[in-house]
Amino acid sequence: MTDNVRVRFAPSPTGPLHMGGVRTALFNYLFAKKHNGTFVLRIEDTDQTRYVANAEQYIIDSLEWCNIPFDEGPGKNEKFGPYRQSERKELYKKYAEELLEKGQAYYAFDTPEELQQLRDALEKEGKTFIYNWHNREQLNNSLSLSKEAVAAKLAAGEKYVVRFKTPQGERLEMNDEIRGTITIDTNTLDDKVLFKSDGMPTYHLANIVDDHLMEISHVIRGEEWLPSLPLHVLLYRAFEWEAPKFAHLPLILKPVGKGKLSKRDGDKLGFPVFPLAYTNENSGEVSRGYREDGYFADAFVNMLALLGWNPGTEQELFTLNELISAFDLNRVSKSGAKFSPDKTKWFNQQYLQNAAVKDLSEGYETILKERGIAESADYIQKVVSLVKERATFITDFWDLSDFFFQAPTEFDAKAAKKQWKETTPELMNGLIEVLEGIDDWTANVTEPIVKAWITEREVGFGKVMQPLRLSLVGALKGPHLFDIMEMIGKEATIQRIKHAIATL
Ligand code: GLU
């Protein structure tokens, strides 16, 4: 399709990147890669009051963790740079001036206090104040003032803003790649501020100028920007620039299916909403992250891809490359996408089941080291292959397999009460004798011998196997008992049974 696809992810560095932001970045990335295009990262930091110093690095680290790196952006391939709007500051003024000259924008000198008064007065009548065609000629601006008066104010250094002169009485038709044609009456729009006398552009002006200068072909962003679309379309027209194509992604909804998933929901509802854990610079407050909670990046990305997009088939598991080839803006839905923490866990579980035992073991080895446990890679791999089918996260491994690395120090009281009977010590002593006589300690040798002995004694399997499990594991959990015995070895097996007899 379109040649030379260039898309951008344009976050404002006001805090950690919400998973909705990661989804926006992902869809931009997928679209770019699908069309052999370029994925640009632009940092929209014009609002200095909301600027957070560590946020930009957080954004970059998040994209990297998700394996969706940008092609152009701060510090990388800067042919359309700089990519931080604060470093492009000088550039915007001339574009504000261009619109002023064209009569598409005007100076407004109304003070914040004056505007507040107007707002308050209308509010009393139950109305809202809009600065636009219906009152602009009565307000304090270059449309109502004489040329000389305006020049005098500017010369005196009076504070001003530049407002867009929204065309009056027009049915504006816009196209969205996901939503189709959208029509709006321009009389309902307000004359948005584009530029301020402190030399700073607002989001709208900077965003349009940069998308133009960076030759962005498709603007793919969240639905919350849809209300800005008319202004953006009108700005392109005012500048006589070709507008990019627009696509507004559906909201991500809370697990209940209503209301936008917010940054606060994670803490409230008990799941991460951020890709990486984040420490607030001022309060020291730490928010959880998918990475630190033990999710695989590719499982997280796979889950995000299906929030608002579907492949048109039943397929749910996709590698990044499969996502790139399947992705299509036509299959992005208009309605909000419900986020499910359970489904997210399911994705992780699927990825864990499909992961190579060797890779999982490397992750587990780190956890074991933190606990001061050193075992051979070979041993850890065997453990992982025995317990992984019950795990959703690598961090589950310890609870599933601690007994492979240390003898139980405690016994599950409930299980002990139920399974450890008066006759059990005698049975266990008998079992020890049998075990002592076995030389080849592999499961397929020990299993038939022990089973034959149980059959011979006519006591029932549970009477032996459950106390045996309790002795070796400390609880009634874990994989096949004879595999456990093989792994921990003959000596440890017998010792653990003796310890159970002495303790229980
Ligand atoms: N800076 C805006 C944001 O924080 C960018 C919106 C857009 O993509 O146009 O989301």
Side-chain angles (χ1 to χ4, degrees), residues 8-14 24 28 42-45 50 85 203 207-208 211 219-222 224-225 228 232 246 248:
R8 87 302 192 271
F9 177 49
S12 300
T14 56
T24 300
N28 273 284
R42 184 173 70 229
I43 302 295
E44 302 212 321
D45 55 353
R50 296 178 62 218
Q85 289 186 327
Y203 152 73
N207 187 269
I208 263 51
D211 281 348
V219 169
I220 303 171
R221 61 186 173 190
E224 60 273 29
W225 300 100
S228 301
H232 293 182
F246 290 96
H248 291 85

CSV table of all heavy atoms in Angstrom, one decimal, residues 8-14 24 28 42-45 50 85 203 207-208 211 219-222 224-225 228 232 246 248, ligand 1:
chain,number,residue,atom,x,y,z
A,8,ARG,N,4.7,7.5,14.2
A,8,ARG,CA,5.4,8.0,15.4
A,8,ARG,C,4.6,7.6,16.6
A,8,ARG,O,3.4,7.5,16.6
A,8,ARG,CB,5.7,9.5,15.3
A,8,ARG,CG,4.6,10.4,15.8
A,8,ARG,CD,3.3,10.3,15.1
A,8,ARG,NE,2.4,11.4,15.4
A,8,ARG,CZ,1.5,11.4,16.4
A,8,ARG,NH1,1.4,10.4,17.2
A,8,ARG,NH2,0.7,12.4,16.5
A,9,PHE,N,5.4,7.4,17.7
A,9,PHE,CA,4.8,7.3,19.0
A,9,PHE,C,5.3,8.5,19.7
A,9,PHE,O,6.5,8.8,19.7
A,9,PHE,CB,5.3,6.0,19.7
A,9,PHE,CG,4.8,5.8,21.1
A,9,PHE,CD1,3.5,6.0,21.4
A,9,PHE,CD2,5.7,5.5,22.1
A,9,PHE,CE1,3.0,5.8,22.7
A,9,PHE,CE2,5.3,5.4,23.5
A,9,PHE,CZ,3.9,5.5,23.7
A,10,ALA,N,4.3,9.3,20.3
A,10,ALA,CA,4.7,10.6,20.7
A,10,ALA,C,4.2,10.9,22.2
A,10,ALA,O,3.4,11.7,22.5
A,10,ALA,CB,4.0,11.7,19.8
A,11,PRO,N,4.8,10.1,23.1
A,11,PRO,CA,4.3,10.3,24.5
A,11,PRO,C,4.8,11.6,25.1
A,11,PRO,O,5.8,12.1,24.7
A,11,PRO,CB,5.0,9.1,25.2
A,11,PRO,CG,6.2,8.8,24.4
A,11,PRO,CD,5.9,9.1,23.0
A,12,SER,N,4.1,12.0,26.1
A,12,SER,CA,4.5,13.1,26.9
A,12,SER,C,5.2,12.5,28.2
A,12,SER,O,4.6,11.6,28.8
A,12,SER,CB,3.4,14.0,27.4
A,12,SER,OG,2.7,14.5,26.2
A,13,PRO,N,6.4,12.9,28.5
A,13,PRO,CA,7.1,12.3,29.6
A,13,PRO,C,6.6,12.8,31.0
A,13,PRO,O,7.3,13.6,31.7
A,13,PRO,CB,8.6,12.7,29.4
A,13,PRO,CG,8.5,14.0,28.6
A,13,PRO,CD,7.2,14.0,27.9
A,14,THR,N,5.4,12.4,31.3
A,14,THR,CA,4.8,12.9,32.6
A,14,THR,C,4.8,11.9,33.7
A,14,THR,O,4.2,12.1,34.7
A,14,THR,CB,3.3,13.4,32.3
A,14,THR,OG1,2.6,12.3,31.7
A,14,THR,CG2,3.3,14.6,31.3
A,24,THR,N,-0.4,1.5,22.1
A,24,THR,CA,-0.3,2.5,21.0
A,24,THR,C,1.1,2.3,20.3
A,24,THR,O,1.2,2.3,19.1
A,24,THR,CB,-0.4,3.9,21.5
A,24,THR,OG1,-1.7,4.1,22.2
A,24,THR,CG2,-0.3,4.9,20.4
A,28,ASN,N,1.7,1.0,16.4
A,28,ASN,CA,2.6,1.8,15.5
A,28,ASN,C,3.7,1.0,14.9
A,28,ASN,O,4.0,1.0,13.7
A,28,ASN,CB,3.1,3.1,16.2
A,28,ASN,CG,2.1,4.2,16.1
A,28,ASN,OD1,2.0,4.9,15.1
A,28,ASN,ND2,1.4,4.5,17.2
A,42,ARG,N,9.0,10.3,19.4
A,42,ARG,CA,9.1,11.7,19.6
A,42,ARG,C,8.6,12.0,21.0
A,42,ARG,O,7.6,11.6,21.4
A,42,ARG,CB,8.3,12.5,18.6
A,42,ARG,CG,8.5,14.0,18.7
A,42,ARG,CD,7.8,14.8,17.7
A,42,ARG,NE,6.3,14.7,17.8
A,42,ARG,CZ,5.5,14.5,16.8
A,42,ARG,NH1,6.0,14.1,15.6
A,42,ARG,NH2,4.2,14.5,17.0
A,43,ILE,N,9.4,12.8,21.8
A,43,ILE,CA,9.1,13.1,23.1
A,43,ILE,C,8.4,14.5,23.2
A,43,ILE,O,9.0,15.5,22.8
A,43,ILE,CB,10.4,13.1,24.0
A,43,ILE,CG1,11.1,11.7,23.9
A,43,ILE,CG2,10.1,13.5,25.4
A,43,ILE,CD1,10.3,10.6,24.5
A,44,GLU,N,7.2,14.5,23.6
A,44,GLU,CA,6.4,15.7,23.6
A,44,GLU,C,6.4,16.3,25.0
A,44,GLU,O,5.5,16.2,25.8
A,44,GLU,CB,5.0,15.4,23.1
A,44,GLU,CG,5.0,14.8,21.7
A,44,GLU,CD,3.8,15.1,20.8
A,44,GLU,OE1,2.6,15.2,21.4
A,44,GLU,OE2,3.9,15.3,19.6
A,45,ASP,N,7.5,17.1,25.2
A,45,ASP,CA,7.7,17.6,26.5
A,45,ASP,C,7.6,19.1,26.6
A,45,ASP,O,8.4,19.8,27.2
A,45,ASP,CB,9.1,17.2,27.0
A,45,ASP,CG,10.2,17.6,26.0
A,45,ASP,OD1,9.9,18.1,24.9
A,45,ASP,OD2,11.4,17.5,26.3
A,50,ARG,N,4.4,19.6,33.8
A,50,ARG,CA,4.1,18.2,34.0
A,50,ARG,C,5.3,17.2,33.8
A,50,ARG,O,5.2,16.0,33.8
A,50,ARG,CB,2.9,17.7,33.2
A,50,ARG,CG,1.6,18.5,33.6
A,50,ARG,CD,0.4,18.1,32.7
A,50,ARG,NE,0.1,16.7,32.8
A,50,ARG,CZ,-0.3,15.9,31.8
A,50,ARG,NH1,-0.4,16.4,30.6
A,50,ARG,NH2,-0.6,14.6,32.0
A,85,GLN,N,10.7,17.8,21.8
A,85,GLN,CA,10.1,19.0,21.4
A,85,GLN,C,10.7,20.2,22.2
A,85,GLN,O,10.8,21.3,21.6
A,85,GLN,CB,8.6,19.0,21.6
A,85,GLN,CG,7.9,18.1,20.6
A,85,GLN,CD,6.4,18.2,20.6
A,85,GLN,OE1,5.8,18.3,21.7
A,85,GLN,NE2,5.8,18.0,19.5
A,203,TYR,N,0.5,21.7,22.7
A,203,TYR,CA,0.5,20.4,22.1
A,203,TYR,C,0.1,20.4,20.6
A,203,TYR,O,0.7,19.8,19.8
A,203,TYR,CB,-0.3,19.4,22.9
A,203,TYR,CG,-0.9,18.3,22.2
A,203,TYR,CD1,-0.1,17.2,21.7
A,203,TYR,CD2,-2.3,18.2,21.8
A,203,TYR,CE1,-0.6,16.2,21.0
A,203,TYR,CE2,-2.8,17.2,21.0
A,203,TYR,CZ,-1.9,16.2,20.6
A,203,TYR,OH,-2.4,15.1,19.9
A,207,ASN,N,2.6,19.4,17.7
A,207,ASN,CA,2.3,18.0,17.2
A,207,ASN,C,2.1,18.1,15.7
A,207,ASN,O,2.7,17.2,15.0
A,207,ASN,CB,1.0,17.6,17.9
A,207,ASN,CG,0.7,16.2,17.6
A,207,ASN,OD1,-0.1,15.9,16.7
A,207,ASN,ND2,1.1,15.2,18.4
A,208,ILE,N,1.4,19.0,15.2
A,208,ILE,CA,1.1,19.1,13.8
A,208,ILE,C,2.4,19.5,13.0
A,208,ILE,O,2.7,18.9,12.0
A,208,ILE,CB,0.0,20.2,13.5
A,208,ILE,CG1,-1.3,19.5,13.3
A,208,ILE,CG2,0.2,20.9,12.2
A,208,ILE,CD1,-1.7,18.5,14.4
A,211,ASP,N,4.8,16.5,13.1
A,211,ASP,CA,4.3,15.4,12.2
A,211,ASP,C,4.6,15.8,10.7
A,211,ASP,O,5.0,14.9,9.9
A,211,ASP,CB,2.8,15.1,12.4
A,211,ASP,CG,2.6,14.3,13.6
A,211,ASP,OD1,3.5,13.7,14.2
A,211,ASP,OD2,1.4,14.1,14.1
A,219,VAL,N,-0.9,8.8,11.5
A,219,VAL,CA,-1.0,9.1,13.0
A,219,VAL,C,-1.9,8.0,13.6
A,219,VAL,O,-3.1,8.0,13.4
A,219,VAL,CB,-1.6,10.5,13.2
A,219,VAL,CG1,-1.9,10.7,14.7
A,219,VAL,CG2,-0.6,11.6,12.7
A,220,ILE,N,-1.2,7.2,14.4
A,220,ILE,CA,-2.0,6.1,15.1
A,220,ILE,C,-1.9,6.4,16.6
A,220,ILE,O,-0.8,6.4,17.1
A,220,ILE,CB,-1.4,4.7,14.8
A,220,ILE,CG1,-1.4,4.5,13.2
A,220,ILE,CG2,-2.2,3.6,15.5
A,220,ILE,CD1,-0.6,3.3,12.8
A,221,ARG,N,-3.0,6.7,17.2
A,221,ARG,CA,-3.0,7.1,18.6
A,221,ARG,C,-4.3,6.8,19.3
A,221,ARG,O,-5.2,6.3,18.7
A,221,ARG,CB,-2.7,8.6,18.7
A,221,ARG,CG,-3.8,9.5,18.0
A,221,ARG,CD,-3.5,11.0,18.0
A,221,ARG,NE,-4.5,11.7,17.2
A,221,ARG,CZ,-4.3,13.0,16.9
A,221,ARG,NH1,-3.2,13.6,17.2
A,221,ARG,NH2,-5.2,13.6,16.2
A,222,GLY,N,-4.3,7.0,20.6
A,222,GLY,CA,-5.5,6.6,21.4
A,222,GLY,C,-6.7,7.4,21.1
A,222,GLY,O,-6.6,8.6,20.6
A,224,GLU,N,-8.6,8.9,23.0
A,224,GLU,CA,-8.7,10.2,23.7
A,224,GLU,C,-8.3,11.4,22.9
A,224,GLU,O,-8.6,12.5,23.3
A,224,GLU,CB,-8.0,10.1,25.1
A,224,GLU,CG,-6.5,9.9,25.0
A,224,GLU,CD,-6.1,8.4,25.0
A,224,GLU,OE1,-6.9,7.6,24.4
A,224,GLU,OE2,-5.0,8.1,25.4
A,225,TRP,N,-7.6,11.2,21.8
A,225,TRP,CA,-7.2,12.3,20.9
A,225,TRP,C,-8.2,12.6,19.8
A,225,TRP,O,-8.0,13.5,19.0
A,225,TRP,CB,-5.8,12.0,20.4
A,225,TRP,CG,-4.8,11.9,21.5
A,225,TRP,CD1,-4.3,10.7,22.0
A,225,TRP,CD2,-4.3,13.0,22.3
A,225,TRP,NE1,-3.5,11.0,23.1
A,225,TRP,CE2,-3.5,12.4,23.3
A,225,TRP,CE3,-4.5,14.3,22.3
A,225,TRP,CZ2,-2.9,13.1,24.3
A,225,TRP,CZ3,-3.8,15.1,23.3
A,225,TRP,CH2,-3.0,14.5,24.3
A,228,SER,N,-9.4,16.1,19.3
A,228,SER,CA,-8.5,17.0,18.7
A,228,SER,C,-8.4,16.9,17.2
A,228,SER,O,-7.8,17.8,16.5
A,228,SER,CB,-7.1,16.8,19.3
A,228,SER,OG,-7.1,16.9,20.6
A,232,HIS,N,-6.8,19.4,14.2
A,232,HIS,CA,-5.6,19.0,13.5
A,232,HIS,C,-5.8,19.0,12.0
A,232,HIS,O,-5.0,19.5,11.3
A,232,HIS,CB,-5.1,17.6,14.0
A,232,HIS,CG,-4.7,17.7,15.5
A,232,HIS,ND1,-4.2,16.6,16.1
A,232,HIS,CD2,-4.7,18.7,16.4
A,232,HIS,CE1,-3.8,16.9,17.4
A,232,HIS,NE2,-4.1,18.2,17.5
A,246,PHE,N,-5.2,9.3,9.7
A,246,PHE,CA,-5.4,9.2,11.1
A,246,PHE,C,-6.1,7.9,11.5
A,246,PHE,O,-7.0,7.4,10.7
A,246,PHE,CB,-6.3,10.3,11.6
A,246,PHE,CG,-5.6,11.6,11.6
A,246,PHE,CD1,-5.8,12.5,10.5
A,246,PHE,CD2,-4.8,12.1,12.6
A,246,PHE,CE1,-5.2,13.7,10.4
A,246,PHE,CE2,-4.1,13.3,12.5
A,246,PHE,CZ,-4.3,14.1,11.4
A,248,HIS,N,-7.6,6.2,15.2
A,248,HIS,CA,-7.7,6.3,16.7
A,248,HIS,C,-8.1,5.0,17.3
A,248,HIS,O,-9.1,4.4,17.0
A,248,HIS,CB,-8.7,7.4,17.0
A,248,HIS,CG,-8.2,8.8,16.6
A,248,HIS,ND1,-8.3,9.4,15.4
A,248,HIS,CD2,-7.5,9.7,17.4
A,248,HIS,CE1,-7.7,10.5,15.4
A,248,HIS,NE2,-7.2,10.8,16.6
B,1,GLU,N1,1.7,13.8,23.4
B,1,GLU,C1,0.5,13.1,23.1
B,1,GLU,C2,0.3,12.0,24.2
B,1,GLU,O1,0.9,12.1,25.2
B,1,GLU,C3,0.5,12.6,21.7
B,1,GLU,C4,-0.8,12.4,21.1
B,1,GLU,C5,-0.7,12.1,19.6
B,1,GLU,O2,-0.2,11.0,19.3
B,1,GLU,O3,-1.0,13.0,18.8
B,1,GLU,O4,-0.3,11.0,24.0
